[in-house]
Amino acid sequence: MSASPTSTHAGEEVEPEVSIASSSPADNARFQPRAANGRFMRVVTATAAADATGLPADRFLDREVSWLQFNERVLQLAADENVPLLERARFLSIFTSNIDEFFMVRVAGLKRRIATGLAVRSASGLEPREVLEQISLVAHELQAMQTAVYKDHVQPALEGQGISVLRWDELSPQEQERITRLYREFIYPVLTPLAVDPAHPFPYISGLSLNLAVVLVNPKTGKEHFARVKVPPLLPRLLEVEPTEDSQTAEAFTTRFVPLEDVMAAHIDTLFPGMEVQEHFTFRVTRNEDLEVEEDDAENLLTALEKELTRRRFGPPVRLEVDAEMDDHVLDMLVRELGVSDSEVYRIPAPLDLRGLDLVADLERSELHYPAFRPQTHPDLSPAESAKASDVLAVVREKDVLLQHPYDSFSTSVQAFIEQAAADPHVLAIKQTLYRTSGDSPIVDALIDAAEAGKQVLAVVEIKARFDEQNNISWARKLEHSGVHVVYGIVGLKTHCKLSLVVRHEADGSLRRYSHIGTGNYNPKTARLYEDLGLLTSDPQVGEDLARLFNQLSGFAPRSKFRRLLVAPRSVRAGLVERIEAEIAHEKAGRGGLVQLKVNSIVDEQVIDALYRASQAGVKVDIWVRGICAVRPGVPGLSETITVHSVLGRFLEHSRVFVFGGGGEPEVFIGSADMMHRNLDRRVETLVRITDPGHVAELLDLMARGMNPRYSHWELGSDGRWTRHNLDADGAPLPDLQAALIELHAKRRRKARRR
């Protein structure tokens, strides 16, 4: 749900102004990259120059900057003293992973398009090189903010709780001796020093690896040499320091760590006997790791992708992070050898790569984590007065079940649905899409069991799921070897929809289809961390729609039509815009217009322009977005009735919900599609219309809560800036929406048990 130096811009070094520890709503508003006020962030007005649509030409916010602003919100959570301390450490790790992926994919892709002459002006009106300049400015400021959050807020707070990340010289002599023994036994044997000289060219630096740049001097010749030592990625990044007699304190429980690179640096002379170690610094390279596979020319997509995965490791560098103390002559050599520009260099006070804070965040200190939470079985699937698991198929035969994970258990609902279908002798076929799943997935195991039992099993595996390609290839082969029919979807499109279809021979002799349509992946691990929705149903229309769609994915059925589904790339955008236009008609007829969207990202210009037209007509438009948002809300004459909220917390908001007022008869969809070009044009996505009145009411309530200002949230302004609202007028924390939903679902279960 993938993470800092002073900022540099046009050669000028700027000291960042970071205001993070908020004590009032006004303070919250100040936590913004100053680039948001720079020359690229324009406030649009309805009188600005219009394009062919008649709408202002600069009505879209820049998607890249918007994504960076999402990570700014992650940093705000890391800085928030009302968030449990170890969760704040985890948010710092998440920020690092997110920024890494942004550079590996978005920045790398933009640079590649510029180099090949394919880059065009963005929808926000920026030239490609202006976008890169803006990214560099904001990214430098954000990494400076991350350093400030860690050094000034999280690290001191951890130390106050007896949790320390120490440097080598902060250890006692006895502790250093103990770590030295550990180094000799377990670390030194796996290190590989790589010298640079006429006989040893500059070594290849793998993406995201942490490295030591070592400057050596030959005492006999006085000649200076350079070497690189990679920090082994398979060893723990932080080594726990066991207390010794001379390090005991009055605290009964303390946990102390020392970074692995510090231990290596303290013993670096052992790798270069006979040489003098003059200085050493840490550095890290980010490379282009996006994949390019021309499917139309690839006879075997699986083989082509495997070859491309091998090439991924050698992508060109797009970012160089270095220790802020690195000498200029060492930096100059790295810049020259790696071929990066000055703007791609990020000077960061050690330690680099705060993904290592995950080890700290995993500490078993319950008082420093979010309150314990365990997903519970949905009330409709809870067996009455029985220790046996509910018969999911029997329940779904009688009624639809609307799930919301992680509040409703994935294992006792969706997973049980697939497992019970695999074990049911009356089930004839199971068809499933798989985009991302865990390597030890019980879903995959259930499909294998079903195939081995003689059932017809189809798995539509998306092996191009970014950064999961190798994992998906592995278990795709495992499925094939077990007799599962594995296909890779439609050429040129990623299969991103989340679908399961079970065909069962009923006692009355008929065949019945059971369906699951979700907003999230069939991954039991992320289902405990991602907020997602899913519909279990035996509705014949849904079953017929899924049967047609699976036939389209595995065979040839290009003219398939659907009754309860909107399916991209053909009908999702058109279907949503059609419904937005219908809300304009309702508003003009005096019936009131309403559009509510809950998405991860919204950048599609056609959908956004439809929302602008709706707002100009007076339709109320609510947008609940987690990440990227190119909509400018609240602009007079353009988007006055549009409100944009964002909610971040312990769970990653991942579900997609689409609500249309319908003149008093709401129409509600859930599904897999975000409002992005890739989802609407280059992926197979599905939205399903929810028809059960109770489920419609639940989703309307969810949307009302997400847009309710009484819960902690961020709100987007017309100037493209996000303002956090997490404190009330008296400075007390506002209620957390996800905590409220935990309690809401608990109340529903208690109420169901009393019935």
Side-chain angles (χ1 to χ4, degrees), residues 546-565:
L546 289 198
R548 290 177 177 177
L549 182 53
F550 273 111
N551 288 343
Q552 187 172 333
L553 292 172
S554 64
F556 298 100
R559 297 187 179 277
S560 297
K561 294 184 179 180
F562 308 100
R563 302 178 68 180
R564 286 248 327 248
L565 298 184

Side-chain angles (χ1 to χ4, degrees), residues 160-203:
Q161 294 292 332
I163 303 169
S164 301
V165 179
L166 306 170
R167 306 311 301 269
W168 176 259
D169 56 11
E170 294 178 287
L171 300 178
S172 70
Q174 282 186 313
E175 289 170 334
Q176 290 183 349
E177 182 180 351
R178 183 173 292 179
I179 295 294
T180 295
R181 289 198 299 269
L182 179 69
Y183 169 82
R184 290 171 180 163
E185 293 179 18
F186 298 103
I187 301 173
Y188 173 80
V190 300
L191 300 181
T192 304
L194 296 174
V196 177
D197 59 30
H200 302 86
F202 190 84

Side-chain angles (χ1 to χ4, degrees), residues 380-395:
D380 290 344
L381 300 176
S382 299
E385 300 179 3
S386 172
K388 294 180 63 177
S390 177
D391 185 338
V392 177
L393 296 179
V395 172

Side-chain angles (χ1 to χ4, degrees), residues 298-346:
E299 292 184 8
N300 187 315
L301 179 59
L302 202 63
T303 302
L305 190 60
E306 287 177 318
K307 291 180 179 178
E308 186 66 19
L309 284 169
T310 301
R311 288 195 291 270
R312 167 190 271 178
R313 297 186 298 113
F314 301 96
V318 293
R319 178 181 58 161
L320 172 62
E321 299 169 274
V322 301
D323 187 332
E325 303 298 321
M326 179 177 284
D327 283 350
D328 288 343
H329 77 286
V330 178
L331 177 59
D332 290 344
M333 185 195 65
L334 290 176
V335 168
R336 181 178 65 254
E337 294 290 346
L338 291 168
V340 298
S341 65
D342 290 341
S343 64
E344 293 170 328
V345 176
Y346 291 74

Side-chain angles (χ1 to χ4, degrees), residues 345-406:
V345 176
Y346 291 74
R347 284 186 175 269
I348 304 172
L352 275 60
D353 188 7
L354 292 183
R355 291 180 302 172
L357 288 177
D358 263 343
L359 290 168
V360 175
D362 287 338
L363 289 173
E364 294 185 4
R365 293 281 298 273
S366 59
E367 76 279 13
L368 302 180
H369 285 287
Y370 285 119
F373 168 74
R374 182 180 178 185
Q376 300 294 313
T377 300
H378 188 286
D380 290 344
L381 300 176
S382 299
E385 300 179 3
S386 172
K388 294 180 63 177
S390 177
D391 185 338
V392 177
L393 296 179
V395 172
V396 176
R397 248 192 317 272
E398 301 299 324
K399 59 182 175 181
D400 290 357
V401 179
L402 180 66
L403 303 161
Q404 187 178 20
H405 312 297

Side-chain angles (χ1 to χ4, degrees), residues 340-495:
V340 298
S341 65
D342 290 341
S343 64
E344 293 170 328
V345 176
Y346 291 74
R347 284 186 175 269
I348 304 172
L352 275 60
D353 188 7
L354 292 183
R355 291 180 302 172
L357 288 177
D358 263 343
L359 290 168
V360 175
D362 287 338
L363 289 173
E364 294 185 4
R365 293 281 298 273
S366 59
E367 76 279 13
L368 302 180
H369 285 287
Y370 285 119
F373 168 74
R374 182 180 178 185
Q376 300 294 313
T377 300
H378 188 286
D380 290 344
L381 300 176
S382 299
E385 300 179 3
S386 172
K388 294 180 63 177
S390 177
D391 185 338
V392 177
L393 296 179
V395 172
V396 176
R397 248 192 317 272
E398 301 299 324
K399 59 182 175 181
D400 290 357
V401 179
L402 180 66
L403 303 161
Q404 187 178 20
H405 312 297
Y407 311 108
D408 298 318
S409 168
F410 180 88
S411 63
T412 60
S413 56
V414 180
Q415 181 179 321
F417 171 65
I418 302 299
E419 290 176 333
Q420 291 177 13
D424 189 335
H426 301 291
V427 167
L428 306 179
I430 301 175
K431 300 184 180 185
Q432 175 99 40
T433 62
L434 293 169
Y435 189 73
R436 301 184 197 272
T437 189
S438 56
D440 55 350
S441 172
I443 300 288
V444 172
D445 291 340
L447 295 178
I448 290 172
D449 290 343
E452 292 177 345
K455 295 177 171 60
Q456 289 292 310
V457 181
L458 171 71
V460 182
V461 178
E462 183 46 74
I463 56 173
K464 302 185 297 298
R466 182 176 288 144
F467 301 123
D468 270 342
E469 298 94 346
Q470 190 62 61
N471 180 51
N472 287 10
I473 287 172
S474 297
W475 49 257
R477 292 197 184 282
K478 180 180 177 182
L479 287 167
E480 285 180 323
H481 294 158
S482 301
V484 174
H485 300 298
V486 178
V487 297
Y488 304 113
I490 299 173
V491 171
L493 300 175
K494 282 188 179 181
T495 304

